[in-house]
Amino acid sequence: MGELLSQEPLLLKKDDEFDYLNKTTLLASSTKLILKVVMWVTFITWAAFIFLLPTKFTNELFGTIVRATKGSIFGTAGSTSLIFSFPIIMIVFLAIILLVVGGEDQPQIKKAGKGPNFRLWTFPVLVDGPFGVVTAAEMIGVIIFSVYIVWAVVMYSIQNVDLLSLYHLPDMKERSGKLLELTGLRFGFIGLICLAFLFLPVARGSVLLRAIDIPFEHATRYHVWLGHLTMAIFSLHGLFYIIGWAIQGRLLEELVGWKNIGIANLPGVISLLAGLLMWVTSLPGVRRNNFELFFYTHQLYVVFVVFLALHVGDFVFMMAGAGIFLFMLDRFLRFFQSRKTVDILSATCFPCGTIELVISKPANLHYNALGWIFLQIRELSWLQWHPFSVSSSPLDGKHHLAILIKVLGDWTEKLKGNILNLSVEQSETEPLLQHNRKITASVEGPYGHESPYHLTYENLILVAGGIGISPFLAILSDILHRINDSSPCLPRNILIVWAIKNSDELPLLETVDMEAICPLFSDKLNLEIQTYVTRESQPSLEEGKTPKAMHHSSISPGFNGCQMSGLVGTGHVVWSGVYVIVSTIGFVITVALLDIFYINPFNITYWWYKGLLLIGCMTASVLIFGGLVIALWHLWERKTSSKEEPQDATKKVDILQQNEASLHRNFGDARYVNNIRYGQRPDFQEIFGSHAKSWGSVDIGVIVCGPPTLQSSVAKECRSQNLKRRGHQAIFHFNSHSFDL
């Protein structure tokens, strides 16, 4: 092992061997750099304008722009679209070009010889509290948002006091009521700014998220944070108005008021109530104890958005219009992908309470080992979708992917029961009748990191809790395939720390046949596994006996030509880009035609009606223009997809059976170190400290998949090790691969 540690990094022994990694031309590299600079300049300029909007100068500039565009085709709604929505759309267009130019880039592997360095997005700052683990980069974002909120409230409060003198209200009660109304108005504006960001993270296949490489599981956290902030501000918006109206004695009158010119209050009340219901049911206590209640009430976002448009009209609504429109595009595309049923090539139930599903996919639908999918089983529910990380490497085969599912709740219990019943029926039924007995699945995704960052660390520590081992099986398989194929791959030292409750979960490691993937891999990769069985004080199996966990039930329905649909934002880059661009242009055309032939000639001035028409234009552009692109995309997909049974999909099922037989013969004779410790929990201080000393002055990538407590413990130790680092010592880079809705 000492000789192995002194070797050059795998596949990167000479500097001149980097030449084959630089496949992109100088022109492409320069174009990507220019695009990134323009995207950042655009975003910073837009954000700076919003930040400075509470100042008198910027506010007057905004008013001047609005007045200048009042007589144009698009009217005042065009000015707010230009200022608040156009920059976001422009960044998205640039992101599309960036992804197309970048193509399928190889992972950015650092040359050997460079020392370790800190990275803002992998350095945990907060490890406990309501936000969970927060990195330095995320903390900067939280601080910026917090500073903006405080700054805007202070500036608008000063302006409200000055405005109050213009109303010449002698009565103290009226002055207090008017001041509260003005304060409520300001909070409504701040809430719209937050709303402009709220829908961006939940566009799962967004090209924007792909371009900046924010995976969906991280984006969901940002949506949760923004959701709490947005609803808190909108609640204050409504509360200040209610108190102000109550003081002035016209509360009921105002609540049911529906003005044609100006703000319509009743739609605002309905929108706020829908938002509050979503907010309350999304609180951690409610969401975890009754997920279905959270899921179904969250569909009220349609009511929230539509009545918000009726409340404020098209002019104000377009301040947050870009994010909502991009979400509509993503949701419509996901709807089409999810309509297609998918073949489950094999389903295996392990007695440890784990299910493995192998799902058919087209060869042109790419993913990486850090990917996620959303799964629906129609025999169980037509409405429930559940996220699962993939447990297979894309190099395992072009026509399938695999997931591991832990049986924990009603949905997974029903799935297990269906598989066991079908297994019994399959063994008792004639082969000619077995094709009628199957599980009907639909899939959304895959989602996840755009680039496989696990390949960029020479040293990896993978920390899993229970079923959290699933993505690490994919990572391990991915690395072994790359080593065997001599593909770009930096990892040479891997430590897996796995905490499980019972020893019957141990055979899950054997679902990856390491020797079959990469013969004699132990000569090229230093792999160590530390397994902690927390609820058993001693081994439950005698040495040499076959583990019971591998006596499983399985079904293999076979391939019927039903693969995952490639109609997903993370699918073909060009088609995804065309879909967004054509739909956006269609939206502009639809609004222009409506203004030219209806709104302007007939002098339509009702705010709420124009807001409704704007929502209609958004919907029509997505359905008509976006639908046309989806139809062409679908035809292209059908033409390029193979209609024959993929050989590697069937091969995967055979490999699983071979793995079982191999395990029965050679359990405990693995070519890697697996230290199994019973009745113990991982001591991360000792583990990280010892490996930091043995690996030396290097970057150590730490990836965690498990419950929040495990993430916090690992993040705390990463932070501790980094803060007390002296001289040439290792730097730990924290990465979370855990999904928590």
Side-chain angles (χ1 to χ4, degrees):
M1 185 177 294
E3 294 179 359
L4 180 62
L5 291 174
S6 64
Q7 293 177 1
E8 292 285 336
L10 184 65
L11 304 180
L12 297 175
K13 295 183 179 179
K14 298 179 182 179
D15 288 342
D16 57 9
E17 291 183 9
F18 280 95
D19 294 340
Y20 79 99
L21 294 176
N22 302 320
K23 294 183 178 180
T24 56
T25 65
L26 178 61
L27 177 61
S29 300
S30 302
T31 303
K32 289 167 62 178
L33 178 61
I34 293 172
L35 288 170
K36 290 179 180 179
V37 171
V38 175
M39 288 170 64
W40 273 108
V41 170
T42 303
F43 175 76
I44 292 173
T45 304
W46 175 71
F49 179 85
I50 292 176
F51 195 89
L52 296 174
L53 197 56
T55 64
K56 184 177 180 181
F57 172 77
T58 312
N59 196 35
E60 289 178 352
L61 177 63
F62 175 55
T64 302
I65 297 174
V66 171
R67 288 189 293 272
T69 58
K70 193 172 184 180
S72 64
I73 294 177
F74 298 102
T76 54
S79 60
T80 52
S81 301
L82 182 66
I83 295 172
F84 294 98
S85 294
F86 176 74
I88 296 295
I89 299 299
M90 178 181 174
I91 292 173
V92 170
F93 283 11
L94 293 173
I96 293 170
I97 301 174
L98 179 65
L99 290 173
V100 172
V101 171
E104 295 183 18
D105 284 346
Q106 298 289 351
Q108 298 298 313
I109 297 180
K110 186 179 69 172
K111 288 187 180 182
K114 291 187 177 181
N117 56 79
F118 289 102
R119 302 166 194 172
L120 292 176
W121 55 92
T122 59
F123 187 92
V125 177
L126 298 179
V127 296
D128 293 308
F131 291 102
V133 178
V134 180
T135 64
E138 292 170 338
M139 192 65 189
I140 292 172
V142 171
I143 291 174
I144 291 175
F145 256 97
S146 302
V147 169
Y148 167 73
I149 299 299
V150 174
W151 153 262
V153 170
V154 172
M155 291 300 296
Y156 285 138
S157 297
I158 296 173
Q159 294 177 23
N160 287 344
V161 174
D162 295 336
L163 282 174
L164 191 62
S165 61
L166 301 178
Y167 286 94
H168 303 292
L169 300 173
D171 186 76
M172 185 63 182
K173 181 184 292 187
E174 293 184 359
R175 292 181 64 187
S176 299
K178 179 57 69 175
L179 182 60
L180 288 170
E181 286 186 51
L182 290 173
T183 303
L185 176 65
R186 302 300 191 181
F187 272 106
F189 176 81
I190 297 172
L192 283 171
I193 298 299
C194 296
L195 187 64
F197 292 90
L198 180 63
F199 283 89
L200 292 175
V202 284
R204 297 176 186 171
S206 168
V207 291
L208 181 60
L209 296 181
R210 292 179 64 185
I212 58 181
D213 199 17
I214 295 181
F216 178 63
E217 67 268 23
H218 291 187
T220 301
R221 296 177 68 220
Y222 307 150
H223 172 73
V224 172
W225 296 351
L226 286 166
H228 290 313
L229 177 62
T230 302
M231 285 313 305
I233 292 174
F234 275 147
S235 297
L236 290 173
H237 162 69
L239 184 62
F240 277 113
Y241 267 110
I242 288 174
I243 297 175
W245 292 333
I247 290 176
Q248 299 175 65
R250 49 191 181 91
L251 176 60
L252 184 60
E253 175 187 350
E254 291 288 350
L255 286 177
V256 298
W258 193 312
K259 296 179 182 177
N260 291 325
I261 308 297
I263 301 297
N265 292 336
L266 183 57
V269 172
I270 297 173
S271 179
L272 182 58
L273 289 176
L276 288 173
L277 190 55
M278 287 189 291
W279 188 25
V280 170
T281 55
S282 67
L283 295 175
V286 179
R287 186 180 70 246
R288 289 169 185 165
N289 293 327
N290 198 334
F291 180 82
E292 291 189 17
L293 178 63
F294 154 76
F295 177 80
Y296 294 133
T297 54
H298 235 63
Q299 309 312 308
L300 290 173
Y301 73 85
V302 178
V303 177
F304 174 80
V305 170
V306 171
F307 280 89
L308 176 65
L310 296 176
H311 174 53
V312 299
D314 60 338
F315 166 65
V316 181
F317 182 79
M318 280 310 296
M319 292 174 60
I324 294 173
F325 181 67
L326 292 173
F327 173 76
M328 291 173 65
L329 285 173
D330 179 75
R331 189 67 191 88
F332 188 58
L333 189 58
R334 288 193 284 119
F335 171 80
F336 274 95
Q337 189 193 29
S338 64
R339 294 308 92 195
K340 186 174 182 179
T341 57
V342 180
D343 285 336
I344 294 181
L345 301 176
S346 74
T348 304
C349 289
F350 298 100
C352 64
T354 301
I355 301 169
E356 183 187 50
L357 299 182
V358 180
I359 300 170
S360 176
K361 79 169 193 68
N364 58 14
L365 181 59
H366 303 289
Y367 71 101
N368 66 49
L370 297 164
W372 296 83
I373 65 168
F374 279 75
L375 178 70
Q376 176 206 58
I377 304 295
R378 297 187 179 181
E379 284 81 5
L380 307 182
S381 173
W382 279 78
L383 298 176
Q384 291 189 42
W385 291 82
H386 296 266
F388 300 101
S389 59
V390 299
S391 59
S392 60
S393 163
L395 300 178
D396 285 336
K398 295 181 179 180
H399 296 279
H400 77 271
L401 61 79
I403 58 174
L404 289 176
I405 302 172
K406 183 69 174 178
V407 178
L408 291 174
D410 293 339
W411 188 86
T412 51
E413 283 286 357
K414 292 178 182 177
L415 175 60
K416 178 183 177 181
N418 279 21
I419 294 173
L420 293 177
N421 291 337
L422 288 172
S423 177
V424 173
E425 293 178 9
Q426 192 175 70
S427 62
E428 298 176 351
T429 307
E430 295 181 13
L432 293 176
L433 300 178
Q434 288 182 7
H435 70 280
N436 292 321
R437 305 176 185 278
K438 60 181 181 178
I439 298 175
T440 308
S442 295
V443 176
E444 283 186 13
Y447 307 110
H449 278 274
E450 185 67 13
S451 60
Y453 67 84
H454 61 283
L455 300 177
T456 64
Y457 293 105
E458 181 180 339
N459 307 277
L460 278 174
I461 297 180
L462 310 177
V463 183
I467 195 60
I469 195 66
S470 177
F472 299 152
L473 297 177
I475 288 175
L476 189 57
S477 177
D478 196 48
I479 292 172
L480 291 172
H481 274 293
R482 288 176 178 273
I483 292 174
N484 191 60
D485 299 339
S486 298
S487 299
C489 175
L490 191 55
R492 64 172 181 143
N493 298 312
I494 300 178
L495 168 66
I496 298 179
V497 181
W498 188 24
I500 56 178
K501 295 178 180 178
N502 301 299
S503 58
D504 59 1
E505 297 182 56
L506 288 171
L508 291 179
L509 285 173
E510 307 302 324
T511 58
V512 177
D513 191 340
M514 302 182 197
E515 286 292 338
I517 296 173
C518 183
L520 302 177
F521 71 89
S522 57
D523 295 337
K524 305 173 183 179
L525 180 68
N526 176 26
L527 174 63
E528 178 186 357
I529 300 177
Q530 295 183 11
T531 305
Y532 295 82
V533 185
T534 60
R535 292 189 178 180
E536 295 179 9
S537 58
Q538 58 185 3
S540 58
L541 295 171
E542 296 181 12
E543 187 175 357
K545 287 191 176 182
T546 302
K548 297 178 182 179
M550 294 307 290
H551 293 300
H552 57 257
S553 299
S554 64
I555 58 173
S556 302
F559 181 72
N560 298 312
C562 297
Q563 300 176 321
M564 290 171 56
S565 171
L567 300 176
V568 59
T570 55
H572 198 278
V573 174
V574 174
W575 278 112
S576 299
V578 170
Y579 172 66
V580 174
I581 293 173
V582 170
S583 300
T584 304
I585 294 174
F587 172 58
V588 175
I589 293 173
T590 305
V591 172
L593 292 175
L594 189 68
D595 283 328
I596 293 172
F597 294 105
Y598 182 60
I599 292 179
N600 293 334
F602 293 92
N603 194 28
I604 304 298
T605 57
Y606 290 2
W607 283 29
W608 65 268
Y609 185 48
K610 293 175 73 173
L612 182 62
L613 290 175
L614 181 65
I615 291 290
C617 289
M618 283 185 172
T619 306
S621 63
V622 172
L623 293 176
I624 298 173
F625 293 89
L628 176 62
V629 175
I630 289 176
L632 296 175
W633 188 353
H634 178 64
L635 291 175
W636 174 85
E637 184 189 35
R638 289 183 59 184
K639 185 177 180 180
T640 56
S641 295
S642 173
K643 295 183 180 180
E644 298 179 0
E645 179 175 358
Q647 295 180 357
D648 73 308
T650 306
K651 182 180 177 182
K652 172 64 178 177
V653 180
D654 296 336
I655 288 175
L656 292 175
Q657 297 171 351
Q658 293 171 10
N659 284 353
E660 178 185 359
S662 175
L663 178 63
H664 284 266
R665 293 190 303 268
N666 302 313
F667 184 74
D669 190 32
R671 293 179 179 270
Y672 56 84
V673 179
N674 187 1
N675 296 316
I676 304 175
R677 305 178 185 182
Y678 293 86
Q680 299 182 37
R681 295 183 182 276
D683 182 351
F684 293 113
Q685 182 177 2
E686 189 276 330
I687 294 171
F688 283 29
S690 62
H691 284 79
K693 291 179 181 178
S694 63
W695 289 346
S697 180
V698 294
D699 289 305
I700 299 178
V702 180
I703 309 177
V704 187
C705 186
T709 53
L710 180 64
Q711 295 180 56
S712 296
S713 298
V714 174
K716 186 179 296 183
E717 189 56 37
C718 287
R719 184 182 65 180
S720 175
Q721 292 284 343
N722 290 338
L723 290 177
K724 67 182 183 182
R725 177 178 181 265
R726 294 291 183 272
H728 299 288
Q729 294 181 343
I731 294 179
F732 292 86
H733 299 274
F734 176 83
N735 299 273
S736 174
H737 189 74
S738 299
F739 190 96
D740 183 25
L741 272 176

